[in-house]
Amino acid sequence: RVKINNRRTFPEQEIFSRRYKRTKSHFTFRSQLDEAPKLDLFLAYTKWNFRDPVVRSGTIKLLIKDQCHNLFAVFGLFLKVYLVDFVLKSKSDDGEWLFHTRANSLVAVMAAMVIPVAVLHALDHLSISWRVAGKSKMLLQSALMKRFLD
């Protein structure tokens, strides 16, 4: 005996309710799926996929991680401008730098370039354990199996 806890499958019937009637035939369903609006289908999949707490929390973590990568890229641009314009190019040692001497500024810039790379590498390594892709694929496969075995 098989007990189905969740009757909602993807693709949901709301996508087809405007134009099509429910069918159990694979070929009719396939033609309905081909004719369905692609944007509506994608938005329905995204909404349906975000119902799972593992996928939702993992996706949010991945978005934050990717934004950290973007912030580091922008920060790196400003850091390189500071390095070229003030640390390497300057001829005087009159305290124009943030860290009072050229050597201290160079060490600070080097640390500001290396430390975030290590942190971002650790985040990239951790992101594998957030299980977004595998869980999402499993949800979609099980929903399609439920749809055709129902």
Side-chain angles (χ1 to χ4, degrees):
R1 183 178 141 166
V2 176
K3 182 178 180 183
I4 298 175
N5 292 330
N6 185 5
R7 287 244 174 235
R8 297 190 73 153
T9 61
F10 177 81
E12 294 179 358
Q13 197 57 34
E14 290 97 32
I15 296 172
F16 305 117
S17 64
R18 288 174 275 191
R19 297 187 206 161
Y20 309 110
K21 57 185 175 185
R22 184 176 171 114
T23 180
K24 295 232 179 200
S25 167
H26 168 70
F27 298 108
T28 309
F29 175 73
R30 177 70 184 178
S31 65
Q32 288 177 354
L33 196 58
D34 289 340
E35 294 172 10
K38 303 300 183 222
L39 183 61
D40 290 346
L41 195 61
F42 175 72
L43 291 176
Y45 170 72
T46 305
K47 248 175 40 179
W48 175 81
N49 207 13
F50 262 56
R51 288 184 188 145
D52 185 66
V54 172
V55 173
R56 183 177 45 248
S57 67
T59 303
I60 291 169
K61 290 176 194 176
L62 283 172
L63 288 173
I64 291 171
K65 177 194 70 94
D66 289 338
Q67 287 303 316
C68 288
H69 277 280
N70 294 338
L71 287 173
F72 175 67
V74 172
F75 175 69
L77 290 174
F78 285 112
L79 201 59
K80 290 172 188 170
V81 167
Y82 175 76
L83 176 68
V84 170
D85 288 347
F86 294 105
V87 178
L88 299 177
K89 185 179 174 185
S90 181
K91 301 226 188 287
S92 65
D93 214 8
D94 59 0
E96 291 179 4
W97 304 286
L98 292 175
F99 296 97
H100 303 296
T101 65
R102 183 178 291 177
N104 289 346
S105 293
L106 188 60
V107 169
V109 167
M110 187 177 60
M113 286 183 172
V114 171
I115 293 172
V117 171
V119 171
L120 291 175
H121 177 71
L123 284 174
D124 288 337
H125 188 66
L126 277 175
S127 68
I128 297 168
S129 67
W130 293 335
R131 304 180 313 174
V132 175
K135 182 73 172 181
S136 182
K137 186 191 292 187
M138 185 198 67
L139 287 170
L140 184 60
Q141 287 174 349
S142 64
L144 288 172
M145 288 299 288
K146 282 182 197 174
R147 175 140 179 114
F148 289 109
L149 293 178
D150 197 14

